[in-house]
């Protein structure tokens, strides 16, 4: 298992290119199951989760070939296996997204139930109930979701709760269903709009892009397409926090301000100014970091995936800030690690109160999940002395070549094998 060694206190400078969004690329790869023709994806980040998804899709029978750096050609003209096994699904919950496409195109799918996750229980009831509404027969047998359908039928679906994954699964299933499907209270994350754009290129008929009501007219067949994965808004926000805590000015190439509304608003309130440039966004050196309160919400609200990184920044703010995590019930695992570095944080249920301290100190800490891990990187970049972050594989799931890219910005960071 690798660790990161960071000596804090170095200001960052220069430019970094923002990678394609993990949470978009994973679903776009699944979309390829909907057609026998090739789907070419560009700007796919090189991440452990992408490799896991590729392994899952290959064992279904998908052909995946690299066609240049960060580009892949996926072809599903010989899908012979409809089972997503536990060994792969337990590594990555996004595996459940093959359910809708497999069921819609082949009429059957057997997907291991993902089970628990470090950040919450994360049930998949909404995925299953909406596919049932479209006519699928679904049973849970020996820990597997076993789904069958002749041809799925369009339906009016009201999601009780906003769910990114349930929206994506149902949306993809609906593209090949018979008749019209309307998704009410659909998730509106930019990654969903990216998927909708790609599906439209593949011949899907979808109205309402970017809204919480998506109307899909099912078609008989989809065809091949070429698509570039949208820039990762969470990676962008993570770099902004890293620049802010080190009092730095950096440029984020390819970053999209329009996908970061609530996040940029909170940074602004905290005294961190971010301006648009011809090629992306520039973070300006902040004069002072002010405490601001955060409540996580579905898009366009403040994303749960930025909560930990923003909290790292708030540990050194002037004043106290309150964090309310409303999406996942166990997403404060970074708190005890940040406390080891000198942060003052108290949690009670889904609330954390962070009282800013003048500075953090390096310590040995442990990465616990993807975003929590990056919050430790942010804290370490500002801390006095050395921080050693173990279990770096969590970061590898969602941040491409992070040590090298931060080195490029001037950070004193090295990756070592334990
Ligand atoms: N939920 C249900 N039933 C369901 C589905 C979801 O109760 O059937 C609940 C969840 O337990 C949670 C809430 O609804 O409380 C929202 O979950 P959602 O389905 O939106 O999350 P997801 O699709 O499983 C994606 C991202 C997460 C991100 C969330 C919220 C991917 C691969 N994952 O998960 O990303 O936090 O949306 O925005 O797209 C990450 O990248 O670090 C990450 C965890």
């Amino acid at each position: 298992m690798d660790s990161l060694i960071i000596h804090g206190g170095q200001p960052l400078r220069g430019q970094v290119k923002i990678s394609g969004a993990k949470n978009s690329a994973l679903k776009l790869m699944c979309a390829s199951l909907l057609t026998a023709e090739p789907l070419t994806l560009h700007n796919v980040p090189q991440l452990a989760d992408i490799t896991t998804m590729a392994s899952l899709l290959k064992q279904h029978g998908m052909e995946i070939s690299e066609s240049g750096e960060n580009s892949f050609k996926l072809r599903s003209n010989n899908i012979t296996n409809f089972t997503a096994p536990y060994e792969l699904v337990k590594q990555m919950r996004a595996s459940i997204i093959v359910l809708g496409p497999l069921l819609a195109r082949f009429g059957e799918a057997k997907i291991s139930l993902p089970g628990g996750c470090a950040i919450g229980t994360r049930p998949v009831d909404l995925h299953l109930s909406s596919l049932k509404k479209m006519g699928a027969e679904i049973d849970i047998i020996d820990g597997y979701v076993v789904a069958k359908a002749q041809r799925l039928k369009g339906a009016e679906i009201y999601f009780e709760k906003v769910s990114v994954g349930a929206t994506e699964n149902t949306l993809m299933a609906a593209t090949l269903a018979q008749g019209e499907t309307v998704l009410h209270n659909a998730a509106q994350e930019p990654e969903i709009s990216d998927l909708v754009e790609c599906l439209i290129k593949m011949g899907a008929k979808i109205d309402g892009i970017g809204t919480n009501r998506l109307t899909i007219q099912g078609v008989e067949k989809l065809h091949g397409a070429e698509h570039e994965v949208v820039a990762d808004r969470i990676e962008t926000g993570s770099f902004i926090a890293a620049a802010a805590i080190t009092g730095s000015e950096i440029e984020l190439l390819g970053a999209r301000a329009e996908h970061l509304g609530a996040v940029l608003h909170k940074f602004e309130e905290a005294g961190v100014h971010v301006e648009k440039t011809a090629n992306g966004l520039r973070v300006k050196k902040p004069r002072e970091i002010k405490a601001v309160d955060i409540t996580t919400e579905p898009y366009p609200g403040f994303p749960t995936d930025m909560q930990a990184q923003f909290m790292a920044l708030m540990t050194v703010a002037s004043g106290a800030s309150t964090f309310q995590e409303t999406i996942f019930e166990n997403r404060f695992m970074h708190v005890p690690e940040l406390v080891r570095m000198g942060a003052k944080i108290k949690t009670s249920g889904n609330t954390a109160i962070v009282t800013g301290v003048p500075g953090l100190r390096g310590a040995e800490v442990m990465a616990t999940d993807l975003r929590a891990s990056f919050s430790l990187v942010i804290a370490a970049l500002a801390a006095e002395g050395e921080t050693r972050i173990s279990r770096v594989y969590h970061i590898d799931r969602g941040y491409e070549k992070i040590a090298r890219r931060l080195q490029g910005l001037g950070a004193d960071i090295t990756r070592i094998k334990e």
Side-chain angles (χ1 to χ4, degrees):
M1 269 192 269
D2 291 6
S3 294
L4 290 176
I5 309 282
I6 300 175
H7 292 101
Q10 296 290 330
L12 306 180
R13 57 184 153 60
Q15 300 173 322
V16 63
K17 184 190 165 291
I18 296 301
S19 301
K22 164 183 81 89
N23 290 347
S24 186
L26 290 171
K27 325 306 168 61
L28 290 164
M29 291 169 80
C30 296
S32 168
L33 288 169
L34 291 164
T35 175
E37 293 182 17
L39 175 66
T40 302
L41 297 176
H42 302 290
N43 203 28
V44 178
Q46 289 175 17
L47 299 171
D49 274 11
I50 297 291
T51 309
T52 308
M53 182 58 88
S55 304
L56 175 70
L57 295 171
K58 279 183 190 164
Q59 64 88 47
H60 287 305
M62 191 186 287
E63 279 170 34
I64 304 182
S65 54
E66 278 193 59
S67 58
E69 208 187 334
N70 299 99
S71 293
F72 289 93
K73 190 170 173 182
L74 302 94
R75 187 163 188 159
S76 304
N77 61 341
N78 191 23
I79 300 296
T80 47
N81 172 23
F82 308 113
T83 301
Y86 180 59
E87 295 77 60
L88 287 168
V89 179
K90 74 173 183 202
Q91 287 178 41
M92 190 185 59
R93 302 180 53 87
S95 309
I96 189 79
I97 305 297
V98 298
L99 172 62
L102 283 176
L103 191 59
R105 180 151 162 241
F106 303 101
E108 61 178 298
K110 183 178 167 192
I111 317 293
S112 169
L113 270 173
C117 166
I119 61 175
T121 49
R122 304 184 73 179
V124 291
D125 55 317
L126 301 171
H127 301 236
L128 306 189
S129 59
S130 56
L131 292 171
K132 277 187 192 162
K133 266 212 115 182
M134 297 176 76
E137 276 176 37
I138 300 184
D139 293 301
I140 307 293
I141 304 172
D142 301 333
Y144 278 77
V145 175
V146 179
K148 286 204 164 36
Q150 291 292 339
R151 185 175 177 197
L152 291 171
K153 291 187 181 54
E156 291 268 329
I157 291 165
Y158 295 84
F159 291 110
E160 271 169 42
K161 200 170 182 178
V162 179
S163 162
V164 171
T167 301
E168 291 162 338
N169 237 335
T170 320
L171 165 70
M172 284 200 265
T175 60
L176 291 180
Q178 189 174 35
E180 181 179 277
T181 300
V182 185
L183 305 182
H184 300 270
N185 200 25
Q188 304 171 71
E189 271 66 3
E191 294 76 30
I192 292 184
S193 300
D194 202 31
L195 177 61
V196 170
E197 271 177 32
C198 179
L199 291 169
I200 291 174
K201 286 182 194 163
M202 293 167 70
K205 298 212 161 88
I206 307 169
D207 281 329
I209 185 166
T211 73
N212 66 355
R213 193 183 132 123
L214 294 170
T215 305
I216 305 111
Q217 306 290 342
V219 295
E220 293 283 332
K221 246 180 161 185
L222 294 180
H223 51 73
E226 198 164 338
H227 186 78
E228 180 165 331
V229 180
V230 69
D232 196 317
R233 66 195 163 100
I234 304 299
E235 188 184 80
T236 305
S238 304
F239 275 115
I240 296 174
I245 202 166
T246 49
S248 312
E249 184 159 323
I250 60 171
E251 190 177 12
L252 308 170
L253 304 176
R256 305 263 302 259
E258 67 273 29
H259 296 158
L260 280 149
V263 174
L264 293 184
H265 178 72
K266 283 294 170 185
F267 274 121
E268 191 72 33
E269 228 184 293
V272 182
H273 304 295
V274 179
E275 62 183 28
K276 281 194 193 176
T277 63
N279 301 313
L281 294 174
R282 178 177 293 114
V283 190
K284 308 288 287 179
K285 179 181 160 84
R287 258 195 243 124
E288 181 200 6
I289 307 286
K290 290 176 268 189
V292 296
D293 296 336
I294 298 287
T295 300
T296 61
E297 281 168 358
Y299 191 84
F302 190 94
T304 174
D305 289 348
M306 268 303 296
Q307 179 254 108
Q309 303 90 310
F310 208 89
M311 190 183 291
L313 178 63
M314 289 296 102
T315 61
V316 294
S318 50
S321 48
T322 303
F323 283 73
Q324 297 223 20
E325 172 56 59
T326 71
I327 309 292
F328 293 113
E329 63 272 26
N330 192 25
R331 219 174 188 184
F332 285 147
M333 280 182 304
H334 42 288
V335 168
E337 305 302 309
L338 290 172
V339 168
R340 287 179 60 74
M341 298 178 72
K344 264 198 192 164
I345 310 173
K346 284 218 159 75
T347 57
S348 166
N350 73 342
T351 305
I353 297 174
V354 184
T355 307
V357 294
L360 299 171
R361 291 181 307 277
E364 286 187 34
V365 290
M366 197 171 73
T368 48
D369 73 71
L370 172 58
R371 309 301 170 186
S373 316
F374 203 84
S375 77
L376 303 179
V377 172
I378 292 168
L381 289 171
E384 195 187 315
E386 180 177 297
T387 299
R388 176 184 288 243
I389 305 175
S390 59
R391 303 198 177 177
V392 172
Y393 58 86
H394 287 292
I395 304 188
D396 295 337
R397 294 189 59 175
Y399 291 91
E400 194 172 3
K401 300 180 190 130
I402 198 61
R404 217 181 303 160
R405 289 159 80 208
L406 282 169
Q407 277 162 8
L409 289 171
D412 184 345
I413 175 170
T414 26
R415 187 176 175 123
I416 55 155
K417 290 212 179 299
E418 295 281 5

